[in-house]
Amino acid sequence: MKVLVTVKEVAEAADDFEISGTEIEEGYLEYDLNEWDDYAIEEAVQLSEERDDVETVGVTIGPERSEETIRMALAKGLDRAVRVWDDAIARQDLLDVDAKARLLEAIVEQEEPDLILSGVQANDDSFGATGVALARQLGVQWAAVVNRMELTEDDTVANVRRELEGGVEELTEVDMPAVLTIQTGINEPRYASLRGIRQAQSKEIDVQGLEDLELGEDAVEGALDLTRMYEPVSESDAEIFEGDPGETAGELAEVLQEKGVGAQ
Amino acid sequence: MSAVLAVADHRRGELRDVSFELLTAGRELADDLDGELHVAVIGGDVESFADKLDRDGVDVVHTVDEGEEFNHDVYVQAVEALCGEIDATAILAPNSVNGLDYAPAVANGLSIPLVTDAVALEYEDGLEVTREMYGSKVETTVEVDADRFFVTIRSGEWPATEDRGDASLEPFEFDLDESAVGSRVTGFEEVGEGDVDISDADVLVSIGRGIEEEENLEIVEALADALDATLAASRPVVDNGWLPKNRQVGQSGKVVTPEVYIAVGISGAVQHVAGMKGAKTIVAINTDPNAPIFDIADYGIVDDLFEVVPELTEQFS
């Protein structure tokens, strides 16, 4: 079977940062593999380790810089990688959910995977919608926020647990092929080994643009425009203790003692 | 006339609180659109749900008597059919786990834009949605250039509509395509039962990602011991397997309301805050002065937890 994993490079903002227009200034951003996708990669790699017949492919939508991230996914054990990008995609300041689903659909048509794993959300834009939108675009089944998955022996059904709010999990059977969006905590993502990193460096990444995917520029034109970005006004009325750790801990201890903490 | 269709969330026989917040958001948007607020409740005891959803500002409650529990294929078909029936301009749903399990599919199927996790909505010449990015470090506004759209709303951002209304209750029937139902819910499980119930504790010392390594838990355990407090955690600590699930505070863990909640190395992501904002006194210890936890804290120390926590433990030993 073939497992396709969607992988996103996400930007993380430093504790202190500056905003320019509708973007955080580049110097304050660090790029990393999306946390949720890390768990999706691990789930795919574990599946390939358990069985002899599993091929795992990572797909990312991102500029050249994101090759570092997709190589990390290769170093962790994915077999191959595809990167989707071109100038027309780069011109979009906010690639909306449908645009991503259309791009990924084109890759799915090429790869014909049996199972698609995607992180529940990306930590930068937090839309949390690409996986389910992709499933609908493909006309296949899906499950969102999966924290355990087991495939039946004949690979026709995925038995999953969906993590609902408030410590409740839903047990669901999903017909395959399917898109599952993977929640953190489903497994323990591995660190890439040095050998894995070395091997990943030499692997070729298949870069495809809109033309390769037989899509027009209108495929990535969305209805959403990012018009403002600003730091939220702090609503804090917290009393902040100042001083060295001894002093601040002392002041906090007084407050806690007044409230009867540690009185026994 | 424009119509806003708000789709309620329920689980195991109970409407979820966010459904009543959804009514408020829906009414505000309907007012901006000079339109009607229609509410849909799909599955379960729809009669009783409809009665509870008949609140101030709701024009029509549509009951869709299909199945007991949430099934995304049924929701997708029902919402799309109902949306066509009432010619809805806007569809609103909670940004819940189930909301995110069908909203993207409906938006994709109807070819309308989707904006998730809205914290504010405004409609003048078009829709403007406020939402957060980069782990709540920034707020953004997104303009939606479309005549119809789907928005999911974050829980806790709108007050719940409490007053009774006089909506008309209308059963909605549609031909469910059984062959398109490709998933089946087979049960539910409560997780996180164990020796300790953190929701009973008066004082909680809760640890987050800032603890960095499992070995470092010791210093927080020492503090909890010294304070005679119970140890709790935010999601990353539990995901790493450093503490069991029954210690997790937050949207997917437990909701706690202790007298004192000491958040150590916890940034205060919205999912965590949802589980502990009801604490009477909140104390935060974090190196990042802009961490959202300080927005809801009563007392704070902006410093390295590895320096502060041992000092604090010392004070109580």
Side-chain angles (χ1 to χ4, degrees):
Chain A
M1 76 182 301
K2 190 188 278 188
V3 184
L4 186 74
V5 186
T6 67
V7 176
K8 190 178 183 210
E9 174 197 73
V10 292
E12 283 174 19
D15 285 349
D16 291 305
F17 58 87
E18 286 181 26
I19 293 169
S20 168
T22 55
E23 291 177 350
I24 292 177
E25 284 185 21
E26 190 63 33
Y28 299 99
L29 294 176
E30 277 189 23
Y31 293 93
D32 205 352
L33 167 63
N34 181 37
E35 187 180 357
W36 284 264
D37 296 345
D38 200 6
Y39 289 85
I41 292 165
E42 179 64 32
E43 205 62 19
V45 172
Q46 286 188 10
L47 201 60
S48 72
E49 288 171 343
E50 285 162 18
R51 299 161 166 225
D52 298 331
D53 63 339
V54 175
E55 185 187 18
T56 55
V57 183
V59 55
T60 195
I61 301 168
E64 197 170 347
R65 186 193 55 231
S66 63
E67 292 212 349
E68 204 176 316
T69 299
I70 196 80
R71 281 197 200 283
M72 183 55 69
L74 290 171
K76 285 169 181 260
L78 295 188
D79 298 318
R80 286 194 290 117
V82 182
R83 179 169 70 86
V84 178
W85 200 249
D86 66 13
D87 292 345
I89 304 173
R91 281 195 291 275
Q92 299 293 323
D93 69 335
L94 184 69
L95 210 51
D96 75 7
V97 175
D98 275 349
K100 285 181 202 165
R102 279 191 289 270
L103 293 172
L104 294 171
E105 178 196 22
I107 297 297
V108 170
E109 282 173 359
Q110 289 178 1
E111 297 285 345
E112 299 183 340
D114 305 283
L115 178 65
I116 300 167
L117 302 178
S118 178
V120 164
Q121 64 175 34
N123 201 29
D124 48 5
D125 65 21
S126 304
F127 263 83
T130 305
V132 173
L134 172 63
R136 183 71 193 274
Q137 183 79 18
L138 294 168
V140 301
Q141 264 299 317
W142 70 89
V145 193
V146 168
N147 69 356
R148 202 179 82 186
M149 60 167 248
E150 277 169 14
L151 309 182
T152 53
E153 269 182 27
D154 60 359
D155 292 339
T156 55
V157 171
N159 287 306
V160 304
R161 276 173 191 253
R162 296 180 58 234
E163 185 190 75
L164 306 181
E165 295 88 349
V168 176
E169 295 185 347
E170 178 199 278
L171 313 178
T172 300
E173 300 173 350
V174 183
D175 293 345
M176 293 207 1
V179 181
L180 306 180
T181 78
I182 302 296
Q183 174 64 303
T184 60
I186 188 173
N187 52 41
E188 195 174 334
R190 70 194 65 197
Y191 290 101
S193 65
L194 280 173
R195 185 163 161 266
I197 292 169
R198 266 201 310 273
Q199 283 176 343
Q201 289 307 325
S202 60
K203 283 190 181 171
E204 195 179 328
I205 292 169
D206 177 14
V207 182
Q208 304 210 28
L210 290 174
E211 211 169 295
D212 304 307
L213 300 173
E214 296 178 11
L215 292 171
E217 289 198 15
D218 57 339
V220 288
E221 283 165 7
L224 306 186
D225 284 313
L226 199 57
T227 49
R228 279 204 308 146
M229 179 180 288
Y230 50 92
E231 287 191 61
V233 182
S234 173
E235 292 156 11
S236 175
D237 52 4
E239 183 179 337
I240 305 289
F241 301 116
E242 310 272 352
D244 67 36
E247 290 164 345
T248 55
E251 288 187 65
L252 175 56
E254 271 183 44
V255 169
L256 292 174
Q257 276 154 354
E258 277 169 27
K259 294 184 183 296
V261 175
Q264 274 95 352
Chain B
M1 181 180 268
S2 295
V4 173
L5 176 63
V7 187
D9 243 22
H10 62 86
R11 190 197 302 157
R12 302 166 92 185
E14 302 270 346
L15 283 164
R16 303 193 57 240
D17 292 346
V18 66
S19 296
F20 299 102
E21 298 163 12
L22 188 72
L23 301 184
T24 310
R27 185 64 253 169
E28 286 174 9
L29 183 60
D31 286 345
D32 287 347
L33 287 162
D34 197 19
E36 291 187 334
L37 174 60
H38 293 243
V39 176
V41 61
I42 305 166
D45 184 357
V46 289
E47 299 290 320
S48 135
F49 290 152
D51 184 53
K52 293 187 178 81
L53 289 163
D54 178 8
R55 300 227 172 155
D56 191 29
V58 177
D59 295 297
V60 186
V61 181
H62 302 273
T63 54
V64 184
D65 194 5
E66 283 288 352
E68 276 308 300
E69 289 291 346
F70 175 79
N71 176 295
H72 64 226
D73 296 306
V74 174
Y75 268 59
V76 166
Q77 291 187 42
V79 172
E80 288 185 4
L82 191 50
C83 185
E85 173 87 6
I86 65 172
D87 192 21
T89 301
I91 312 175
L92 296 186
N95 194 69
S96 57
V97 171
N98 283 345
L100 290 174
D101 195 45
Y102 74 93
V106 169
N108 187 274
L110 295 175
S111 299
I112 61 175
L114 170 71
V115 187
T116 58
D117 207 17
V119 298
L121 298 176
E122 207 174 304
Y123 192 97
E124 275 185 40
D125 300 326
L127 180 70
E128 190 179 83
V129 182
T130 305
R131 61 193 305 282
E132 294 178 341
M133 281 176 68
Y134 299 106
S136 301
K137 283 187 171 169
V138 299
E139 269 185 12
T140 61
T141 54
V142 176
E143 274 182 15
V144 182
D145 181 19
D147 298 334
R148 295 164 70 205
F149 39 80
F150 198 144
V151 180
T152 66
I153 69 153
R154 179 180 289 183
S155 70
E157 296 295 324
W158 280 265
T161 299
E162 305 284 0
D163 294 339
R164 293 286 303 169
D166 55 0
S168 56
L169 307 185
E170 296 181 7
F172 177 71
E173 288 178 11
F174 70 106
D175 290 327
L176 180 72
D177 177 3
E178 296 277 0
S179 69
V181 177
S183 67
R184 295 152 298 276
V185 176
T186 56
F188 293 92
E189 267 183 29
E190 302 275 350
V191 294
E193 297 306 317
D195 53 332
V196 175
D197 187 354
I198 55 171
S199 50
D200 277 349
D202 285 335
V203 183
L204 284 170
V205 173
S206 194
I207 183 67
R209 202 186 286 266
I211 198 69
E212 294 171 3
E213 303 281 343
E214 186 172 12
E215 299 82 77
N216 298 336
L217 275 182
E218 276 177 20
I219 66 163
V220 198
E221 283 163 348
L223 176 63
D225 280 348
L227 299 181
D228 196 22
T230 302
L231 196 61
S234 68
R235 171 163 206 124
V237 173
V238 175
D239 277 351
N240 280 327
W242 300 343
L243 283 174
K245 182 90 181 171
N246 65 343
R247 303 280 182 155
Q248 187 179 323
V249 173
Q251 207 166 65
S252 53
K254 290 253 165 94
V255 173
V256 296
T257 52
E259 291 291 312
V260 177
Y261 187 88
I262 305 174
V264 181
I266 289 175
S267 66
V270 60
Q271 294 86 351
H272 183 76
V273 169
M276 47 66 76
K277 63 186 173 193
K280 208 162 180 185
T281 300
I282 297 169
V283 177
I285 301 171
N286 201 299
T287 48
D288 176 8
N290 300 315
I293 192 77
F294 288 114
D295 289 347
I296 57 157
D298 300 290
Y299 301 95
I301 296 176
V302 181
D303 209 338
D304 185 350
L305 74 92
F306 297 106
E307 304 273 340
V308 176
V309 170
E311 292 281 355
L312 189 58
T313 306
E314 184 77 10
Q315 299 278 339
F316 285 88
S317 301

